[in-house]
């Protein structure tokens, strides 16, 4: 690595050094409490998968370049020069961490390994050493925001073609109503889905059953800028949705079953004239207010458990709502142990699922503990509220032969709708 | 189905979770030669914005899009 590149990367490093980050970088006592907190280490007990070990890779570069340690005796103080080899170590640390923050709730100092890994990811982006596909996905989202006018008509036609399927689920006389409204100024709620029809049809059925004044976003909720750890791209992708919400003057932005999308929208969209909700929160509200009714018939005789997506539950605070919904769907709900705040990551976060087949072997091995946690409940139905988790849990289901029916919570609600 | 352009490779991307359609098409396009056509079949309306945006970003070209019987067929020419 030449000097110029190193200087550029260190400037990027510097941009991350806010008070919280400096605290995380300077506080670890190596007590080891986080060791078994990480699902990766629990499933594959190797030193490199210990949360504090990952953090140390970033910390050593910090010590060398920002604290001046190791200048006289480079081997002393565990300071480390930022080199090509160091970049490889950063890659291995960052892309074997799902950013679940389970280690953080165990650490007596609340050290946030995911935040430290965000430094690693940013340096990789700066060195063009990040997984290329994540940047391509992020740039695709940004391009969509720039050129929407070119794509609009095709999208509207595609959405129209889904309407019949919504009506089948909705089971109401839909005549005279727009089944999937798009681009409606003055709607109460903007629903931001994913590309897949499965992310639109059940949600639309529930909105319509609840009599919601809603409109579907042109954009997909997921933020690949956040997965790849690039704050500039993250903001550009987020701004598309914020601007759409402002233009349509909605009062609520409802994020589909996508954990990262929810966390980014909730925590990074700033003060806005609309509130941000997850679709799970909205469905719980409809049930509480009697705007929708569901029956337990659809899941009769089934044992149901729920996987808390880390970005929605531990990192987003949505813990009670999915359980409230499930009380209405089943008489046999079984909680996983340990409890939701300490729930294990599915093993697919941080961009790992988006890397597809390339990470499959690691994802399966590193989430063995998750498969065991699910199996211990004796459940036949595994519900979740995140696309990423759903993909990973389906892969685990196949890999470990769990014989589960992996379900989206939104689909379960839509399938159980009762029309009065 | 209406007569479409001849595709050198056809990918069935129906019902895949996010972001697999774009991930798979990014790999699939490298399996046809520059100038050849890849046909991506999907049922997801989001693909109608995702694929053109991906094509612009990756330097490829959407030559035709057909929507019929709930199936979306996107024909992409490899340019780079
Ligand atoms: S629990 Fe916290 S202080 Fe202890 S080793 Fe892990 S990160 Fe360091
Ligand atoms: S954030 Fe999750 S995956 Fe990353 S080190 Fe902590 S427990 Fe492990």
């Amino acid at each position: 690595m030449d000097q110029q590149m190193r200087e550029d990367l260190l400037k990027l490093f510097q941009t991350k050094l806010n008070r919280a980050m400096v605290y995380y970088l300077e506080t670890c006592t190596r007590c080891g409490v986080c060791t078994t907190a990480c699902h990766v280490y629990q499933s594959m007990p190797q030193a490199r998968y210990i949360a504090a070990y990952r953090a140390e890779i970033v910390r050593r570069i910090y010590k060398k370049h920002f604290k001046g340690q190791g200048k006289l005796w480079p081997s002393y103080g565990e300071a480390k020069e930022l080199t090509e080899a160091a970049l490889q170590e950063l890659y291995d640390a960052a892309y074997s961490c799902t950013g679940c923050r389970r280690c953080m709730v165990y650490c007596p100092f609340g050290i946030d390994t995911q935040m430290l890994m965000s430094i690693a990811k940013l340096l990789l982006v700066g060195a063009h050493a990040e997984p290329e596909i994540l940047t391509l996905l992020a740039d695709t989202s940004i391009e969509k925001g720039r050129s929407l006018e070119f794509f609009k008509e095709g999208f509207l036609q595609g959405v129209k073609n889904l309407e019949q399927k919504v009506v089948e689920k909705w089971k109401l006389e839909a005549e005279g109503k727009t089944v999937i409204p798009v681009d409606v100024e003055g709607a109460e709620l903007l629903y931001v889905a994913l590309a897949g029809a499965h992310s639109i049809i059940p949600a639309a059925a529930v909105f319509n059953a609840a009599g919601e004044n809603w409109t579907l976003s042109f954009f997909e909720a997921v933020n690949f800028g956040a997965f790849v750890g690039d704050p500039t791209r993250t903001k550009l992708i987020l701004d598309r949705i914020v601007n759409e919400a402002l233009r349509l003057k909605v009062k609520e932005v409802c994020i589909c079953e996508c954990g990262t999308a929810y966390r980014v929208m909730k925590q990074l969209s700033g003060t806005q004239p609309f509130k941000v909700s997850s679709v799970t929160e909205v469905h719980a509200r409809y049930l509480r207010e009697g705007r929708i009714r569901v029956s337990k018939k659809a899941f009769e005789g089934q044992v149901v458990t729920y996987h808390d997506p880390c970005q929605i539950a531990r990192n987003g605070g949505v813990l009670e709502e999915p359980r409230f919904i499930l009380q209405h769907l089943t008489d046999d709900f079984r909680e996983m142990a340990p409890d939701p705040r300490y729930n294990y990551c599915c093993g697919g976060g941080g961009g790992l699922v988006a890397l597809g087949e390339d990470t499959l072997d690691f994802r399966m091995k590193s989430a063995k503990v998750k498969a065991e946690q699910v199996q211990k409940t004796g459940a036949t139905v595994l519900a979740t509220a995140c696309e990423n988790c759903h993909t990973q849990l389906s892969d685990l289901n196949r890999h470990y032969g769990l014989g589960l029916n992996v379900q989206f919570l939104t689909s379960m609600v839509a399938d159980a709708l009762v029309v009065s | 189905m209406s007569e479409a352009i001849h595709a050198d490779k056809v990918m069935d991307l129906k019902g895949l979770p996010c972001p697999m359609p774009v991930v798979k098409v990014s790999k699939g396009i490298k399996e046809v030669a520059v100038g050849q056509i890849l046909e991506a079949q999907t049922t997801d309306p989001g693909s109608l914005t995702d694929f053109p945006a991906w094509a612009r970003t990756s330097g490829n070209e959407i030559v035709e899009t057909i929507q019929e019987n709930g199936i979306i067929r996107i024909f992409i020419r490899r340019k780079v």
Side-chain angles (χ1 to χ4, degrees), chain A residues 324-342:
Chain A
F324 179 76
I325 294 170
L326 284 163
Q327 272 172 27
H328 291 77
L329 297 175
T330 176
D331 284 322
D332 199 350
F333 173 69
R334 305 220 187 133
E335 201 66 85
M336 290 186 209
D339 73 54
R341 224 165 69 86
Y342 297 91

Side-chain angles (χ1 to χ4, degrees), chain A residues 37-40 51 54 96-104 113-114:
Chain A
C38 180
H39 66 278
V40 184
R54 299 175 197 283
S96 61
C97 167
T98 59
C100 72
R101 288 189 164 115
R102 189 170 194 265
C103 50
M104 186 182 178
T113 308
Q114 187 270 336

